[in-house]
Amino acid sequence: MSVRTRADLDELPAYVAGRTVPGAIKLASNEVSEGPLPSAVAAIQQASAEIHRYPDMGVGALTAALAEHYAVAPERVAVGCGSVALCEQLVQATCTPDDEVIFPWRSFEAYPIITQVAGARQVRVPLTGEHALDLEEMLAAITPATRLMFVCTPNNPTGTTLRREELTAFLDRVPSDVLVVLDEAYFEFVTDPAAPDGMELARERDNVASMRTFSKAYGLAGLRVGYAVTSEPVAAALRKVCIPFSVNALAQAAAIASLEAQDELRARCANVAAERERVHRALVDEGYEVPETQANFVWLPLGERTAEFSEHCLEHKVVVRAFAGEGARVTIGRPEENDAFLAAARAFPR
Protein backbone atom coordinates (compact mmCIF):
# COMPACT_ATOMS: atom_id res chain seq x y z
CA MET A 1 0.00 0.00 0.00
CA SER A 2 1.44 3.38 -1.06
CA VAL A 3 1.48 6.35 1.27
CA ARG A 4 -1.05 8.89 0.07
CA THR A 5 0.04 12.49 -0.38
CA ARG A 6 -1.98 15.49 -1.50
CA ALA A 7 -3.11 15.07 -5.10
CA ASP A 8 -2.59 18.75 -5.88
CA LEU A 9 1.15 18.42 -5.23
CA ASP A 10 1.46 16.74 -8.63
CA GLU A 11 0.70 20.13 -10.17
CA LEU A 12 2.93 22.10 -7.82
CA PRO A 13 5.77 23.83 -9.69
CA ALA A 14 9.20 23.19 -8.27
CA TYR A 15 11.32 26.10 -7.13
CA VAL A 16 14.28 26.25 -9.50
CA ALA A 17 17.51 27.56 -7.98
CA GLY A 18 20.24 29.14 -10.08
CA ARG A 19 22.58 26.50 -11.48
CA THR A 20 26.14 26.10 -10.29
CA VAL A 21 28.47 24.78 -12.99
CA PRO A 22 32.07 23.92 -12.05
CA GLY A 23 34.51 26.24 -13.84
CA ALA A 24 31.81 28.73 -14.89
CA ILE A 25 30.94 32.16 -13.53
CA LYS A 26 27.68 31.95 -11.63
CA LEU A 27 25.39 34.90 -12.35
CA ALA A 28 22.22 32.85 -12.00
CA SER A 29 21.46 33.56 -8.32
CA ASN A 30 21.01 37.00 -6.83
CA GLU A 31 24.00 36.79 -4.53
CA VAL A 32 26.76 39.33 -3.95
CA SER A 33 30.17 38.21 -5.17
CA GLU A 34 32.05 39.91 -2.34
CA GLY A 35 30.69 37.56 0.31
CA PRO A 36 29.58 38.50 3.83
CA LEU A 37 30.74 41.73 5.44
CA PRO A 38 33.98 41.24 7.45
CA SER A 39 32.30 42.04 10.75
CA ALA A 40 29.73 39.33 10.07
CA VAL A 41 32.47 36.75 9.51
CA ALA A 42 34.01 37.63 12.88
CA ALA A 43 30.62 37.33 14.58
CA ILE A 44 30.02 33.92 12.99
CA GLN A 45 33.37 32.67 14.21
CA GLN A 46 32.67 33.81 17.74
CA ALA A 47 29.12 32.40 17.76
CA SER A 48 30.25 29.04 16.38
CA ALA A 49 31.57 28.04 19.80
CA GLU A 50 27.98 28.00 21.10
CA ILE A 51 26.24 26.04 18.36
CA HIS A 52 25.69 23.09 20.69
CA ARG A 53 23.03 25.29 22.32
CA TYR A 54 19.62 26.02 20.84
CA PRO A 55 19.33 29.51 19.39
CA ASP A 56 17.16 32.16 21.00
CA MET A 57 13.74 31.09 19.72
CA GLY A 58 12.38 34.63 20.09
CA VAL A 59 15.31 36.14 18.16
CA GLY A 60 15.31 38.82 20.83
CA ALA A 61 18.67 40.51 20.25
CA LEU A 62 18.19 40.78 16.48
CA THR A 63 14.60 41.92 16.89
CA ALA A 64 15.74 44.67 19.25
CA ALA A 65 18.51 45.71 16.87
CA LEU A 66 16.09 45.90 13.94
CA ALA A 67 13.55 47.83 16.00
CA GLU A 68 16.20 50.39 16.93
CA HIS A 69 17.51 50.59 13.37
CA TYR A 70 14.05 51.34 11.94
CA ALA A 71 12.72 53.30 14.92
CA VAL A 72 9.76 51.01 15.60
CA ALA A 73 8.58 49.04 18.60
CA PRO A 74 10.06 45.52 18.84
CA GLU A 75 6.51 44.17 18.83
CA ARG A 76 6.24 45.31 15.20
CA VAL A 77 9.20 43.20 14.04
CA ALA A 78 9.10 39.55 12.97
CA VAL A 79 12.22 37.61 11.96
CA GLY A 80 12.20 34.49 9.83
CA CYS A 81 14.41 31.93 8.09
CA GLY A 82 14.89 34.15 5.05
CA SER A 83 12.20 36.35 3.57
CA VAL A 84 10.77 33.38 1.65
CA ALA A 85 9.89 31.74 4.99
CA LEU A 86 8.15 34.95 6.01
CA CYS A 87 6.18 34.86 2.75
CA GLU A 88 4.95 31.40 3.67
CA GLN A 89 4.13 32.46 7.23
CA LEU A 90 2.19 35.46 5.94
CA VAL A 91 -0.03 33.25 3.80
CA GLN A 92 -0.47 30.75 6.64
CA ALA A 93 -1.39 33.53 9.06
CA THR A 94 -3.98 35.18 6.81
CA CYS A 95 -5.49 32.58 4.50
CA THR A 96 -7.77 29.55 4.52
CA PRO A 97 -8.66 27.48 1.43
CA ASP A 98 -11.49 29.93 0.80
CA ASP A 99 -9.15 32.92 0.53
CA GLU A 100 -7.10 34.44 -2.28
CA VAL A 101 -3.55 35.77 -2.63
CA ILE A 102 -2.84 38.30 -5.39
CA PHE A 103 0.62 38.75 -6.83
CA PRO A 104 2.17 40.08 -10.05
CA TRP A 105 3.48 37.63 -12.61
CA ARG A 106 6.17 37.15 -13.50
CA SER A 107 7.55 37.90 -10.07
CA PHE A 108 9.25 35.95 -7.28
CA GLU A 109 8.67 32.34 -8.23
CA ALA A 110 8.00 31.21 -4.66
CA TYR A 111 4.68 33.14 -4.50
CA PRO A 112 2.57 30.53 -6.34
CA ILE A 113 4.30 27.66 -4.56
CA ILE A 114 3.74 28.88 -1.02
CA THR A 115 0.18 29.95 -1.83
CA GLN A 116 -0.73 26.50 -3.13
CA VAL A 117 1.03 24.69 -0.28
CA ALA A 118 -0.91 26.79 2.23
CA GLY A 119 -4.13 25.81 0.45
CA ALA A 120 -5.13 29.32 -0.63
CA ARG A 121 -6.09 30.35 -4.15
CA GLN A 122 -3.56 32.23 -6.26
CA VAL A 123 -4.44 35.17 -8.48
CA ARG A 124 -1.70 36.13 -10.93
CA VAL A 125 -1.73 39.62 -12.45
CA PRO A 126 0.39 40.01 -15.62
CA LEU A 127 3.08 42.66 -15.77
CA THR A 128 2.78 45.65 -18.07
CA GLY A 129 4.38 45.75 -21.51
CA GLU A 130 7.28 47.55 -19.84
CA HIS A 131 7.88 44.59 -17.47
CA ALA A 132 6.57 46.54 -14.48
CA LEU A 133 3.89 45.80 -11.89
CA ASP A 134 0.39 46.70 -13.10
CA LEU A 135 -1.14 48.22 -9.99
CA GLU A 136 -4.45 49.07 -11.66
CA GLU A 137 -4.98 45.45 -12.66
CA MET A 138 -3.95 44.29 -9.20
CA LEU A 139 -6.61 46.56 -7.72
CA ALA A 140 -9.16 45.22 -10.20
CA ALA A 141 -8.32 41.66 -9.10
CA ILE A 142 -9.37 42.29 -5.48
CA THR A 143 -12.50 40.40 -4.38
CA PRO A 144 -14.14 39.81 -1.00
CA ALA A 145 -11.95 36.67 -0.77
CA THR A 146 -8.67 38.59 -1.07
CA ARG A 147 -6.62 38.44 2.10
CA LEU A 148 -3.06 39.12 0.95
CA MET A 149 -1.22 40.90 -1.87
CA PHE A 150 2.47 40.56 -2.65
CA VAL A 151 4.04 43.66 -4.19
CA CYS A 152 7.65 43.01 -5.15
CA THR A 153 9.63 46.22 -5.69
CA PRO A 154 12.19 46.12 -7.20
CA ASN A 155 10.54 43.22 -8.93
CA ASN A 156 12.31 39.90 -9.29
CA PRO A 157 13.22 39.01 -12.05
CA THR A 158 12.60 42.19 -14.06
CA GLY A 159 14.29 44.71 -11.73
CA THR A 160 11.63 47.36 -12.27
CA THR A 161 10.57 49.46 -9.30
CA LEU A 162 7.48 51.41 -8.35
CA ARG A 163 7.39 55.11 -7.64
CA ARG A 164 6.43 56.46 -4.23
CA GLU A 165 3.40 58.37 -5.50
CA GLU A 166 1.90 55.47 -7.45
CA LEU A 167 2.38 53.03 -4.58
CA THR A 168 0.81 55.43 -2.11
CA ALA A 169 -2.18 55.97 -4.41
CA PHE A 170 -2.49 52.19 -4.77
CA LEU A 171 -2.45 51.61 -1.02
CA ASP A 172 -5.13 54.29 -0.55
CA ARG A 173 -7.47 52.14 -2.66
CA VAL A 174 -6.74 48.73 -1.13
CA PRO A 175 -9.37 47.65 1.43
CA SER A 176 -8.09 47.99 4.99
CA ASP A 177 -8.65 44.28 5.71
CA VAL A 178 -6.28 43.19 2.90
CA LEU A 179 -2.64 42.86 3.91
CA VAL A 180 -0.19 44.33 1.38
CA VAL A 181 3.27 42.80 1.64
CA LEU A 182 5.99 44.99 0.14
CA ASP A 183 8.70 42.51 -0.79
CA GLU A 184 11.81 44.69 -0.71
CA ALA A 185 14.54 42.07 -0.89
CA TYR A 186 16.61 44.36 -3.12
CA PHE A 187 15.89 47.66 -1.38
CA GLU A 188 19.53 48.35 -0.46
CA PHE A 189 20.49 48.50 -4.15
CA VAL A 190 17.90 51.15 -5.03
CA THR A 191 19.33 54.52 -6.12
CA ASP A 192 16.19 56.13 -7.61
CA PRO A 193 15.12 58.94 -5.24
CA ALA A 194 11.51 58.53 -6.41
CA ALA A 195 11.37 54.90 -5.28
CA PRO A 196 9.26 54.12 -2.21
CA ASP A 197 10.57 53.14 1.21
CA GLY A 198 8.29 50.42 2.51
CA MET A 199 9.37 50.99 6.09
CA GLU A 200 7.84 54.45 6.03
CA LEU A 201 4.60 53.03 4.67
CA ALA A 202 4.55 50.18 7.20
CA ARG A 203 4.88 52.67 10.05
CA GLU A 204 1.88 54.61 8.77
CA ARG A 205 -0.51 51.83 7.68
CA ASP A 206 -1.75 48.86 9.68
CA ASN A 207 -2.34 46.73 6.57
CA VAL A 208 1.19 47.07 5.16
CA ALA A 209 4.20 44.87 5.86
CA SER A 210 7.69 45.78 4.67
CA MET A 211 9.73 42.63 4.19
CA ARG A 212 13.51 42.63 3.72
CA THR A 213 16.38 40.19 3.92
CA PHE A 214 20.03 39.76 4.86
CA SER A 215 20.53 37.38 1.92
CA LYS A 216 21.21 39.92 -0.82
CA ALA A 217 23.17 43.10 -0.07
CA TYR A 218 24.44 41.84 3.29
CA GLY A 219 25.80 38.64 1.73
CA LEU A 220 24.23 36.16 4.15
CA ALA A 221 22.25 34.05 1.65
CA GLY A 222 23.68 30.83 3.09
CA LEU A 223 22.49 31.61 6.63
CA ARG A 224 18.84 32.40 5.81
CA VAL A 225 17.56 35.34 7.81
CA GLY A 226 14.91 37.87 6.81
CA TYR A 227 12.53 40.18 8.62
CA ALA A 228 9.27 42.07 8.36
CA VAL A 229 8.09 45.30 9.95
CA THR A 230 4.32 45.60 10.19
CA SER A 231 1.50 46.24 12.66
CA GLU A 232 1.71 44.52 16.04
CA PRO A 233 -1.19 42.09 15.35
CA VAL A 234 0.32 40.95 12.05
CA ALA A 235 3.78 40.57 13.58
CA ALA A 236 2.30 38.54 16.44
CA ALA A 237 0.52 36.27 13.94
CA LEU A 238 3.80 35.77 12.06
CA ARG A 239 5.52 34.67 15.24
CA LYS A 240 2.69 32.23 16.03
CA VAL A 241 3.15 30.31 12.76
CA CYS A 242 6.95 30.41 12.77
CA ILE A 243 8.71 27.03 13.09
CA PRO A 244 10.51 26.98 16.48
CA PHE A 245 14.24 27.70 16.34
CA SER A 246 14.11 28.27 12.58
CA VAL A 247 16.52 31.24 12.73
CA ASN A 248 19.80 29.69 13.74
CA ALA A 249 22.33 31.15 16.16
CA LEU A 250 24.98 31.94 13.53
CA ALA A 251 22.42 33.77 11.40
CA GLN A 252 21.31 35.89 14.34
CA ALA A 253 24.86 36.87 15.28
CA ALA A 254 25.86 37.61 11.69
CA ALA A 255 22.75 39.68 11.04
CA ILE A 256 23.31 41.87 14.10
CA ALA A 257 26.94 42.47 13.11
CA SER A 258 25.91 43.22 9.52
CA LEU A 259 23.26 45.69 10.63
CA GLU A 260 25.93 47.61 12.52
CA ALA A 261 28.19 47.87 9.44
CA GLN A 262 26.14 50.37 7.44
CA ASP A 263 29.14 52.25 6.03
CA GLU A 264 30.54 49.03 4.56
CA LEU A 265 27.11 48.12 3.24
CA ARG A 266 26.60 51.48 1.52
CA ALA A 267 30.01 51.26 -0.16
CA ARG A 268 29.25 47.75 -1.41
CA CYS A 269 25.83 48.71 -2.76
CA ALA A 270 27.26 51.77 -4.50
CA ASN A 271 29.75 49.53 -6.30
CA VAL A 272 26.98 47.15 -7.35
CA ALA A 273 24.83 50.04 -8.60
CA ALA A 274 27.72 51.45 -10.65
CA GLU A 275 28.37 48.05 -12.24
CA ARG A 276 24.64 47.62 -12.82
CA GLU A 277 24.50 50.84 -14.78
CA ARG A 278 27.58 49.89 -16.79
CA VAL A 279 26.18 46.48 -17.71
CA HIS A 280 22.75 47.92 -18.53
CA ARG A 281 24.23 50.62 -20.75
CA ALA A 282 26.46 48.12 -22.58
CA LEU A 283 23.55 45.77 -23.28
CA VAL A 284 21.35 48.59 -24.57
CA ASP A 285 24.19 49.78 -26.80
CA GLU A 286 24.35 46.26 -28.22
CA GLY A 287 20.69 46.46 -29.14
CA TYR A 288 19.19 44.38 -26.32
CA GLU A 289 15.88 45.33 -24.76
CA VAL A 290 16.66 45.74 -21.06
CA PRO A 291 14.20 47.47 -18.70
CA GLU A 292 15.56 49.95 -16.18
CA THR A 293 16.58 48.07 -13.08
CA GLN A 294 17.02 49.04 -9.45
CA ALA A 295 18.06 45.59 -8.23
CA ASN A 296 21.38 43.74 -8.40
CA PHE A 297 20.50 42.11 -11.71
CA VAL A 298 19.36 42.88 -15.24
CA TRP A 299 16.48 41.29 -17.18
CA LEU A 300 16.67 40.37 -20.85
CA PRO A 301 13.16 39.59 -22.19
CA LEU A 302 14.33 37.22 -24.92
CA GLY A 303 11.12 35.23 -25.28
CA GLU A 304 11.54 32.02 -27.24
CA ARG A 305 15.29 32.59 -27.58
CA THR A 306 15.87 32.49 -23.84
CA ALA A 307 17.05 28.88 -23.67
CA GLU A 308 19.32 29.43 -26.65
CA PHE A 309 20.84 32.50 -24.99
CA SER A 310 21.34 30.61 -21.73
CA GLU A 311 23.18 27.76 -23.49
CA HIS A 312 25.26 30.26 -25.44
CA CYS A 313 26.34 31.95 -22.21
CA LEU A 314 27.18 28.59 -20.69
CA GLU A 315 29.42 27.84 -23.66
CA HIS A 316 31.23 31.04 -22.67
CA LYS A 317 31.52 29.80 -19.08
CA VAL A 318 28.81 32.09 -17.71
CA VAL A 319 25.67 30.76 -15.98
CA VAL A 320 22.55 32.94 -16.18
CA ARG A 321 19.04 32.31 -14.84
CA ALA A 322 16.75 31.36 -17.70
CA PHE A 323 12.96 31.50 -17.48
CA ALA A 324 11.99 29.40 -20.49
CA GLY A 325 10.03 31.30 -23.12
CA GLU A 326 10.25 34.57 -21.19
CA GLY A 327 13.71 35.92 -20.48
CA ALA A 328 17.03 35.67 -18.69
CA ARG A 329 17.98 37.27 -15.40
CA VAL A 330 21.66 38.05 -14.94
CA THR A 331 23.08 38.97 -11.55
CA ILE A 332 25.63 41.77 -11.32
CA GLY A 333 28.93 40.27 -10.22
CA ARG A 334 32.47 41.56 -9.97
CA PRO A 335 33.69 43.73 -12.90
CA GLU A 336 35.62 40.87 -14.48
CA GLU A 337 32.59 38.57 -14.17
CA ASN A 338 30.38 41.18 -15.78
CA ASP A 339 32.92 41.63 -18.58
CA ALA A 340 32.78 37.90 -19.28
CA PHE A 341 28.99 38.05 -19.50
CA LEU A 342 29.04 41.10 -21.76
CA ALA A 343 31.49 39.36 -24.08
CA ALA A 344 29.09 36.41 -24.29
CA ALA A 345 26.14 38.70 -24.92
CA ARG A 346 27.99 40.50 -27.72
CA ALA A 347 28.78 37.18 -29.36
CA PHE A 348 25.17 35.97 -29.30
CA PRO A 349 23.78 35.92 -32.87
CA ARG A 350 20.78 38.21 -33.24
Side-chain angles (χ1 to χ4, degrees):
M1 183 182 223
S2 299
V3 174
R4 288 179 292 178
T5 59
R6 285 169 43 181
D8 66 327
L9 293 184
D10 292 337
E11 302 174 0
L12 186 69
Y15 184 92
V16 180
R19 286 193 297 173
T20 299
V21 177
I25 297 169
K26 184 183 179 184
L27 301 180
S29 295
N30 292 331
E31 305 156 334
V32 289
S33 298
E34 293 84 352
L37 299 172
S39 54
V41 174
I44 291 169
Q45 292 171 340
Q46 182 175 353
S48 65
E50 296 295 323
I51 58 173
H52 61 299
R53 305 293 186 188
Y54 282 105
D56 171 18
M57 193 173 80
V59 201
L62 178 54
T63 297
L66 287 164
E68 181 178 1
H69 184 73
Y70 290 110
V72 297
E75 292 78 14
R76 301 189 65 181
V77 179
V79 181
C81 185
S83 57
V84 66
L86 287 167
C87 288
E88 183 177 44
Q89 292 168 228
L90 284 159
V91 177
Q92 291 173 331
T94 58
C95 293
T96 71
D98 296 325
D99 299 322
E100 295 175 347
V101 177
I102 296 175
F103 50 84
W105 196 252
R106 175 168 291 274
S107 192
F108 182 34
E109 62 184 304
Y111 295 155
I113 299 173
I114 60 180
T115 301
Q116 184 171 335
V117 170
R121 298 195 297 269
Q122 54 179 284
V123 179
R124 305 185 187 196
V125 177
L127 301 179
T128 69
E130 290 74 41
H131 314 287
L133 274 59
D134 193 330
L135 295 183
E136 285 299 319
E137 288 301 315
M138 290 183 72
L139 285 169
I142 296 173
T143 72
T146 304
R147 292 292 173 268
L148 182 70
M149 304 178 78
F150 285 113
V151 176
C152 189
T153 181
N155 186 47
N156 175 17
T158 62
T160 53
T161 189
L162 296 171
R163 298 295 181 266
R164 184 182 305 107
E165 291 77 8
E166 64 177 333
L167 180 55
T168 300
F170 167 80
L171 293 173
D172 287 343
R173 297 165 63 188
V174 174
S176 60
D177 61 347
V178 174
L179 179 63
V180 180
V181 181
L182 303 179
D183 187 345
E184 300 181 295
Y186 305 96
F187 177 82
E188 289 82 4
F189 300 112
V190 173
T191 57
D192 185 350
D197 182 342
M199 289 296 170
E200 294 179 357
L201 296 167
R203 292 190 195 99
E204 300 167 354
R205 300 170 185 259
D206 289 341
N207 69 327
V208 171
S210 172
M211 187 173 62
R212 297 183 186 176
T213 182
F214 286 94
S215 294
K216 310 303 182 185
Y218 288 97
L220 299 180
L223 285 181
R224 316 304 306 128
V225 55
Y227 58 96
V229 171
T230 183
S231 63
E232 289 188 21
V234 173
L238 278 169
R239 288 190 286 271
K240 283 184 178 180
V241 297
C242 182
I243 296 175
F245 305 112
S246 60
V247 184
N248 71 69
L250 299 185
Q252 294 186 42
I256 292 170
S258 298
L259 198 62
E260 295 171 350
Q262 290 299 305
D263 289 343
E264 296 173 60
L265 178 72
R266 280 189 287 269
R268 161 180 290 183
C269 291
N271 291 337
V272 171
E275 277 296 289
R276 176 184 71 202
E277 297 308 312
R278 182 176 76 89
V279 171
H280 183 274
R281 186 168 55 251
L283 289 170
V284 171
D285 290 345
E286 284 295 316
Y288 285 95
E289 177 190 357
V290 188
E292 292 291 335
T293 175
Q294 287 288 301
N296 69 324
F297 53 82
V298 292
W299 171 250
L300 286 73
L302 297 164
E304 295 303 319
R305 299 200 69 192
T306 298
E308 181 186 356
F309 180 82
S310 176
E311 290 305 311
H312 168 84
C313 288
L314 187 55
E315 291 172 2
H316 287 72
K317 304 298 182 184
V318 177
V319 186
V320 303
R321 179 69 170 89
F323 295 85
E326 298 179 71
R329 188 193 68 199
V330 186
T331 300
I332 301 300
R334 294 188 294 268
E336 63 272 19
E337 295 174 328
N338 300 329
D339 288 341
F341 162 67
L342 289 173
R346 293 187 183 102
F348 183 63
R350 299 189 300 284

